[in-house]
Amino acid sequence: MAITKAPDHTGISVKIIDLAAGKLPASPYDGAVAIGHMDDFEAIIGGTRAVKKYSPINDRDYEQIVSTGAIEYNEFNATVLFDFNSEEGVNKLYKAFLDNTEIGLVIELKDKLSESGKDTTIAQIIKVSEFSIGGEKDGKQRATIRAEKIGKPVITKATGA
């Protein structure tokens, strides 16, 4: 069963969910709200590690030592058609931006292994760092959103039953 009847973007549903005591609620993320009508969407999961390279002058066995740091997850970037009077998740993102609070991001892939199966979901806490409202498209305003991903994503893989 899908989280909600949400508009999706190329087979991906993007939803927003309130945190429970500062944490993501347990899957299946009941209460998640579709972000709205996606106009543009970037990478789902991505990250980098800071790298330091050392060239020891007194070690004949190693020409270079490479050290990596903690994973820094890529930011969430999206352009969504925005309506102040809607019940869409984009309004929850706007409120989280104004209140400077964290919120949950739930991405549902359309990849279940059978009709009775469940789709893969990726959930992560985010903090909105940019929210701008631009020109009109199809009777709605275009909102550009940038949010920092906090912590490791919770991935629930697709099932066949």
Side-chain angles (χ1 to χ4, degrees), residues 88-149:
E88 297 165 337
V90 68
N91 283 306
K92 286 182 171 276
L93 283 175
Y94 185 54
K95 182 173 177 0
F97 174 71
L98 293 175
D99 295 346
N100 197 25
T101 57
E102 297 170 353
I103 195 162
L105 174 71
V106 178
I107 297 172
E108 183 181 76
L109 308 179
K110 302 300 181 184
D111 64 347
K112 60 187 171 188
L113 304 174
S114 71
E115 278 300 314
S116 61
K118 294 182 181 177
D119 295 313
T120 298
T121 57
I122 302 162
Q124 193 159 22
I125 296 173
I126 61 171
K127 193 160 192 176
V128 182
S129 58
E130 177 184 336
F131 193 102
S132 57
I133 300 172
E136 182 269 340
K137 181 177 180 180
D138 299 330
K140 295 187 177 189
Q141 300 302 120
R142 185 178 281 141
T144 302
I145 300 155
R146 181 172 56 210
E148 300 299 319
K149 294 179 180 176

Side-chain angles (χ1 to χ4, degrees), residues 13-28:
S13 291
V14 181
K15 298 172 178 60
I16 302 302
I17 192 161
D18 291 321
L19 302 180
K23 296 183 179 182
L24 286 167
S27 179

Side-chain angles (χ1 to χ4, degrees), residues 62-83:
Y62 296 98
E63 290 182 22
Q64 190 174 64
I65 298 170
V66 177
S67 174
T68 58
I71 296 174
E72 293 182 27
Y73 292 98
N74 292 357
E75 56 191 30
F76 168 73
N77 293 297
T79 304
V80 181
L81 299 182
F82 182 74
D83 179 357

Side-chain angles (χ1 to χ4, degrees), residues 24-61:
L24 286 167
S27 179
Y29 307 110
D30 294 329
V33 180
I35 195 171
H37 300 279
M38 302 288 289
D39 196 36
D40 187 24
F41 180 68
E42 293 187 18
I44 298 170
I45 295 179
T48 59
R49 290 184 183 269
V51 177
K52 288 199 177 207
K53 297 180 181 182
Y54 305 94
S55 297
I57 59 173
N58 64 342
D59 195 332
R60 294 179 189 202
D61 295 331

